[in-house]
Amino acid sequence: MSATHPQPPRPDHASASLRQALLFWLKLGFVSFGGPAGQIAILHQELVERRRWISERRFLHALNFCMLLPGPEAQQLATYLGWLLHGTRGGVLAGVLFVLPSLFILIALSWIYLAFGDVPLVAGLFYGIKPAVTAIVVHAAHRIGARTLRNAWLWAIAAAAFVAIFALGVPFPLIVLGAALLGYLGGRLAPEHFDGVGGHTAAKPGYGPALIDDDTPPPAHARFSRARLVRLLLVGALLWLLPMGLLTLLFGWHGTLTQMGWFFTKAALLTFGGAYAVLPYVFQGAVGHYGWLTPTQMIDGLALGETTPGPLIMVVAFVGFVGGYVHPLFGAERAFLAGAVAAGLVTWFTFLPSFLFVLAGGPLVESTHDDLKFTAPLTGVTAAVVGVILNLALFFGYHVLWPQGFAGRFDWPSALIALAAAVALLRFKRGVIEVLAGCAVAGLLVHLGLH
């Protein structure tokens, strides 16, 4: 830090006891709307800007790692940050509390959806939240881009990623690999452009000192240990084998719950790029192959997943609930119990690999945050993600503003709500939760007025 930008003293509120962290992760589980982009924005706003638990550079390094993993990147980032602050116990608490509220909410909403059909109140709230989510994704692309795209090289990677996914339909894993390769080559050929910080912090002051700052050495629990890694892998294998073995004994390998566990384990391990990469695989298997639900139900479930807190991949809980409820496994009179058990099991098998990836890979990541040959590829990936998020914003915008396709009508009320949300976020710097709440009320009023 130069003499013209002396470091301010650490703020008094910059403390992070396990109890404080527990309360924060619990709150986050209930307010983490906006899909992965919105959730990452909330994490950055709370932990980097407001609470100063972690520095910008360490946050982005962790985010880059989570972007490379199969599974929900926002939940993995919360797990990683919880682990970095308070060890394995902190990581498990952060990851579980990120998911648990949305599981209970989705079980309740799935039951209402199946038992009572359309609920005007819920439909109206959804009507306002969908355009708000579009604005939140645009805002996230702007925030991450402003921090990441510091030079023409990184802008070019972001633009190439956008063209690749929007115009050419290149799979997300290939985009990630290509961006990492470009970052690696850039780190060798033009290292000053691919430094994780470069001239960025010199160009504008940061947020002040953090508990885990750029130069803070990794805590003892974040240092690599072969014995710890072996122990973790053994525990993870048992946590998978025991429920899978029990399901096989009770229902047989071809039983619905057993096949759900196996299918969603594969979804968690084989699909990279977050929820939007997993969804086509889930749609193909759950609707086309197994017939657990209809295409219409899957689309409605995606709407529920988009407008409830927690990771978007929690739509798998809806898939499990509908599959268990419609094909009652414990008798017709216990349809709700079958749906709830299926939703819980699907969530377990979907998220277990995420915890193992983060807890096993964290020590390696913490040992590389100052090593350019590791950070340069991750910088390239972050640049590409900006382009991918922009494509996601256009995808949302299309489905919100032209709900029947371009041949149908343009939804002016949704456009006005989206514009108001964008202005509130970008111009007036309002919080994500405030914007979602305001748009939900506006959507309810418009929806009730239209019907």
Side-chain angles (χ1 to χ4, degrees):
M1 187 77 68
S2 68
T4 56
H5 293 116
Q7 281 197 346
R10 177 171 285 130
D12 292 336
H13 65 269
S15 61
S17 68
L18 185 61
R19 181 177 177 277
Q20 287 174 306
L22 176 66
L23 292 174
F24 169 72
W25 298 122
L26 180 61
K27 170 193 167 187
L28 181 70
F30 283 101
V31 302
S32 56
F33 291 90
Q39 291 151 6
I40 290 167
I42 293 172
L43 282 168
H44 184 275
Q45 189 175 57
E46 287 287 334
L47 300 187
V48 176
E49 299 176 28
R50 195 166 79 80
R51 298 172 190 260
R52 301 301 297 129
W53 286 359
I54 188 168
S55 72
E56 169 96 351
R57 185 178 182 184
R58 298 286 279 267
F59 180 92
L60 287 177
H61 190 66
L63 174 59
N64 290 338
F65 169 62
C66 295
M67 289 288 186
L68 292 175
L69 297 176
E73 61 267 32
Q75 186 265 351
Q76 290 165 337
L77 179 60
T79 304
Y80 188 103
L81 298 176
W83 164 79
L84 189 57
L85 287 163
H86 297 108
T88 300
R89 178 172 53 172
V92 171
L93 279 173
V96 168
L97 292 176
F98 195 89
V99 169
L100 208 55
S102 62
L103 173 61
F104 291 134
I105 291 169
L106 270 173
I107 286 175
L109 291 178
S110 301
W111 175 70
I112 290 170
Y113 170 80
L114 289 172
F116 299 105
D118 283 338
V119 179
L121 172 65
V122 175
L125 294 174
F126 284 3
Y127 184 82
I129 287 174
K130 287 180 183 178
V133 168
T134 304
I136 288 168
V137 175
V138 172
H139 181 238
H142 175 266
R143 286 170 66 93
I144 296 174
R147 295 194 302 269
T148 305
L149 306 181
R150 303 180 306 276
N151 55 62
W153 293 65
L154 298 176
W155 271 100
I157 291 176
F162 174 76
V163 171
I165 197 166
F166 178 78
L168 304 178
V170 177
F172 186 85
L174 291 182
I175 293 175
V176 168
L177 290 174
L181 178 60
L182 289 173
Y184 173 78
L185 294 174
R188 298 289 297 271
L189 301 174
E192 69 278 8
H193 295 299
F194 287 83
D195 186 343
V197 178
H200 181 54
T201 52
K204 60 180 182 181
Y207 301 104
L211 289 178
I212 299 177
D213 222 329
D214 291 351
D215 301 320
T216 304
H221 66 262
R223 296 181 188 131
F224 179 76
S225 163
R226 186 168 298 173
R228 176 187 170 278
L229 177 61
V230 171
R231 188 166 61 247
L232 178 69
L233 294 177
L234 286 174
V235 170
L238 282 174
L239 291 174
W240 185 85
L241 284 169
L242 288 176
M244 183 59 74
L246 186 60
L247 290 173
T248 305
L249 283 174
L250 291 174
F251 304 105
W253 177 249
H254 296 290
T256 299
L257 290 178
T258 313
Q259 284 299 299
M260 281 184 175
W262 177 237
F263 174 74
F264 284 103
T265 297
K266 291 188 291 182
L269 292 172
L270 301 178
T271 48
F272 292 81
Y276 294 98
V278 179
L279 289 173
Y281 180 81
V282 172
F283 188 96
Q284 184 181 42
V287 176
H289 181 69
Y290 291 104
W292 291 327
L293 70 175
T294 67
T296 301
Q297 288 172 334
M298 184 70 193
I299 293 168
D300 292 339
L302 180 56
L304 283 175
E306 285 175 351
T307 50
T308 51
L312 178 57
I313 193 56
M314 281 304 296
V315 70
V316 301
F318 175 85
V319 172
F321 186 91
V322 173
Y325 189 98
V326 174
H327 311 285
L329 309 172
F330 310 140
E333 70 281 2
R334 296 189 182 91
F336 176 83
L337 177 63
V341 168
L345 282 172
V346 160
T347 303
W348 175 270
F349 286 109
T350 299
F351 285 93
L352 178 62
S354 290
F355 285 96
L356 295 177
F357 287 139
V358 170
L359 297 177
L364 174 64
V365 175
E366 281 303 301
S367 68
T368 62
H369 65 80
D370 287 320
D371 191 334
L372 186 63
K373 67 176 177 288
F374 290 103
T375 60
L378 296 180
T379 299
V381 171
T382 305
V385 165
V386 176
V388 172
I389 293 175
L390 182 60
N391 169 72
L392 178 60
L394 292 180
F395 175 83
F396 272 172
Y398 168 72
H399 286 281
V400 168
L401 302 180
W402 286 275
Q404 285 89 38
F406 283 130
R409 65 177 181 82
F410 181 78
D411 194 331
W412 283 103
S414 290
L416 292 174
I417 293 173
L419 180 62
V423 170
L425 289 164
L426 294 165
R427 174 68 180 84
F428 295 104
K429 312 297 182 188
R430 307 310 300 177
V432 169
I433 307 307
E434 290 178 84
V435 171
L436 276 168
C439 291
V441 171
L444 179 61
L445 294 174
V446 170
H447 186 75
L448 293 178
L450 293 175
H451 296 81

Short mmCIF file of all heavy atoms in Angstrom, two decimals, residues 124-125 127-129 413 416-417 420 435-449:
data_model
loop_
_atom_site.label_atom_id
_atom_site.label_comp_id
_atom_site.label_asym_id
_atom_site.label_seq_id
_atom_site.Cartn_x
_atom_site.Cartn_y
_atom_site.Cartn_z
N GLY A 124 -48.08 -14.11 -7.99
CA GLY A 124 -47.82 -12.68 -8.08
C GLY A 124 -46.44 -12.32 -7.58
O GLY A 124 -45.74 -11.50 -8.19
N LEU A 125 -46.02 -12.91 -6.47
CA LEU A 125 -44.67 -12.66 -5.95
C LEU A 125 -43.62 -13.10 -6.97
O LEU A 125 -42.63 -12.40 -7.21
CB LEU A 125 -44.48 -13.38 -4.62
CG LEU A 125 -45.34 -12.89 -3.45
CD1 LEU A 125 -45.16 -13.80 -2.24
CD2 LEU A 125 -44.98 -11.45 -3.09
N TYR A 127 -43.97 -13.25 -10.13
CA TYR A 127 -44.02 -12.34 -11.28
C TYR A 127 -43.07 -11.15 -11.09
O TYR A 127 -42.45 -10.68 -12.05
CB TYR A 127 -45.45 -11.85 -11.48
CG TYR A 127 -45.64 -10.98 -12.70
CD1 TYR A 127 -45.79 -11.54 -13.96
CD2 TYR A 127 -45.66 -9.59 -12.58
CE1 TYR A 127 -45.95 -10.74 -15.08
CE2 TYR A 127 -45.81 -8.77 -13.69
CZ TYR A 127 -45.96 -9.37 -14.95
OH TYR A 127 -46.11 -8.57 -16.05
N GLY A 128 -42.97 -10.65 -9.86
CA GLY A 128 -42.07 -9.53 -9.60
C GLY A 128 -40.63 -9.94 -9.37
O GLY A 128 -39.69 -9.20 -9.70
N ILE A 129 -40.42 -11.15 -8.81
CA ILE A 129 -39.07 -11.57 -8.49
C ILE A 129 -38.28 -11.93 -9.74
O ILE A 129 -37.08 -11.67 -9.83
CB ILE A 129 -39.12 -12.77 -7.51
CG1 ILE A 129 -39.55 -12.28 -6.12
CG2 ILE A 129 -37.77 -13.45 -7.40
CD1 ILE A 129 -39.79 -13.39 -5.12
N PRO A 413 -44.85 -4.68 -18.04
CA PRO A 413 -44.70 -4.57 -16.58
C PRO A 413 -43.40 -5.21 -16.06
O PRO A 413 -42.72 -4.64 -15.21
CB PRO A 413 -45.94 -5.28 -16.04
CG PRO A 413 -46.95 -5.15 -17.14
CD PRO A 413 -46.17 -5.26 -18.40
N LEU A 416 -40.46 -2.94 -16.84
CA LEU A 416 -40.37 -1.79 -15.94
C LEU A 416 -39.84 -2.21 -14.56
O LEU A 416 -39.05 -1.50 -13.94
CB LEU A 416 -41.74 -1.13 -15.80
CG LEU A 416 -42.26 -0.42 -17.06
CD1 LEU A 416 -43.68 0.07 -16.86
CD2 LEU A 416 -41.34 0.73 -17.45
N ILE A 417 -40.27 -3.38 -14.08
CA ILE A 417 -39.77 -3.87 -12.79
C ILE A 417 -38.27 -4.16 -12.89
O ILE A 417 -37.49 -3.81 -11.99
CB ILE A 417 -40.55 -5.13 -12.35
CG1 ILE A 417 -42.00 -4.77 -12.02
CG2 ILE A 417 -39.88 -5.78 -11.15
CD1 ILE A 417 -42.89 -5.97 -11.73
N ALA A 420 -36.41 -0.83 -12.95
CA ALA A 420 -36.37 -0.24 -11.61
C ALA A 420 -35.38 -0.96 -10.72
O ALA A 420 -34.63 -0.33 -9.95
CB ALA A 420 -37.77 -0.28 -10.99
N VAL A 435 -34.13 -4.97 -2.85
CA VAL A 435 -34.62 -4.93 -4.23
C VAL A 435 -35.58 -6.08 -4.49
O VAL A 435 -36.66 -5.90 -5.09
CB VAL A 435 -33.43 -4.95 -5.22
CG1 VAL A 435 -33.92 -5.12 -6.65
CG2 VAL A 435 -32.61 -3.68 -5.09
N LEU A 436 -35.22 -7.28 -4.04
CA LEU A 436 -36.11 -8.43 -4.24
C LEU A 436 -37.45 -8.23 -3.55
O LEU A 436 -38.50 -8.53 -4.11
CB LEU A 436 -35.43 -9.70 -3.72
CG LEU A 436 -34.45 -10.38 -4.67
CD1 LEU A 436 -33.65 -11.44 -3.94
CD2 LEU A 436 -35.18 -11.00 -5.85
N ALA A 437 -37.40 -7.73 -2.32
CA ALA A 437 -38.65 -7.52 -1.58
C ALA A 437 -39.54 -6.49 -2.28
O ALA A 437 -40.75 -6.71 -2.45
CB ALA A 437 -38.34 -7.07 -0.16
N GLY A 438 -38.95 -5.37 -2.71
CA GLY A 438 -39.72 -4.34 -3.40
C GLY A 438 -40.32 -4.85 -4.70
O GLY A 438 -41.49 -4.58 -5.01
N CYS A 439 -39.53 -5.59 -5.46
CA CYS A 439 -40.03 -6.11 -6.74
C CYS A 439 -41.11 -7.18 -6.53
O CYS A 439 -42.04 -7.28 -7.33
CB CYS A 439 -38.87 -6.68 -7.56
SG CYS A 439 -37.73 -5.41 -8.16
N ALA A 440 -40.97 -7.98 -5.47
CA ALA A 440 -41.99 -8.99 -5.19
C ALA A 440 -43.34 -8.32 -4.91
O ALA A 440 -44.38 -8.75 -5.42
CB ALA A 440 -41.56 -9.85 -4.00
N VAL A 441 -43.32 -7.24 -4.13
CA VAL A 441 -44.57 -6.51 -3.83
C VAL A 441 -45.13 -5.89 -5.10
O VAL A 441 -46.35 -5.97 -5.38
CB VAL A 441 -44.31 -5.42 -2.77
CG1 VAL A 441 -45.53 -4.53 -2.60
CG2 VAL A 441 -43.94 -6.06 -1.44
N ALA A 442 -44.25 -5.27 -5.92
CA ALA A 442 -44.71 -4.69 -7.19
C ALA A 442 -45.30 -5.75 -8.10
O ALA A 442 -46.35 -5.54 -8.73
CB ALA A 442 -43.55 -3.98 -7.89
N GLY A 443 -44.65 -6.89 -8.17
CA GLY A 443 -45.16 -7.97 -9.01
C GLY A 443 -46.51 -8.47 -8.54
O GLY A 443 -47.40 -8.76 -9.35
N LEU A 444 -46.69 -8.56 -7.22
CA LEU A 444 -47.98 -9.01 -6.68
C LEU A 444 -49.09 -8.04 -7.06
O LEU A 444 -50.18 -8.43 -7.49
CB LEU A 444 -47.87 -9.14 -5.16
CG LEU A 444 -49.14 -9.58 -4.43
CD1 LEU A 444 -49.59 -10.95 -4.91
CD2 LEU A 444 -48.90 -9.60 -2.93
N LEU A 445 -48.82 -6.72 -6.93
CA LEU A 445 -49.83 -5.72 -7.28
C LEU A 445 -50.18 -5.78 -8.76
O LEU A 445 -51.35 -5.72 -9.14
CB LEU A 445 -49.30 -4.32 -6.90
CG LEU A 445 -49.11 -4.06 -5.40
CD1 LEU A 445 -48.46 -2.70 -5.18
CD2 LEU A 445 -50.44 -4.16 -4.66
N VAL A 446 -49.14 -5.89 -9.61
CA VAL A 446 -49.40 -5.96 -11.06
C VAL A 446 -50.17 -7.22 -11.41
O VAL A 446 -51.14 -7.20 -12.17
CB VAL A 446 -48.06 -5.91 -11.84
CG1 VAL A 446 -48.30 -6.22 -13.32
CG2 VAL A 446 -47.39 -4.55 -11.67
N HIS A 447 -49.74 -8.36 -10.82
CA HIS A 447 -50.38 -9.63 -11.15
C HIS A 447 -51.85 -9.64 -10.73
O HIS A 447 -52.72 -10.10 -11.48
CB HIS A 447 -49.63 -10.76 -10.43
CG HIS A 447 -50.10 -12.13 -10.80
ND1 HIS A 447 -49.80 -12.74 -11.99
CD2 HIS A 447 -50.90 -13.02 -10.13
CE1 HIS A 447 -50.36 -13.93 -12.04
NE2 HIS A 447 -51.03 -14.12 -10.92
N LEU A 448 -52.12 -9.12 -9.53
CA LEU A 448 -53.52 -9.08 -9.08
C LEU A 448 -54.33 -8.11 -9.93
O LEU A 448 -55.52 -8.34 -10.19
CB LEU A 448 -53.57 -8.66 -7.61
CG LEU A 448 -52.97 -9.68 -6.61
CD1 LEU A 448 -53.03 -9.12 -5.21
CD2 LEU A 448 -53.68 -11.02 -6.71
N GLY A 449 -53.69 -7.02 -10.42
CA GLY A 449 -54.38 -6.08 -11.28
C GLY A 449 -54.70 -6.67 -12.65
O GLY A 449 -55.74 -6.38 -13.24
#
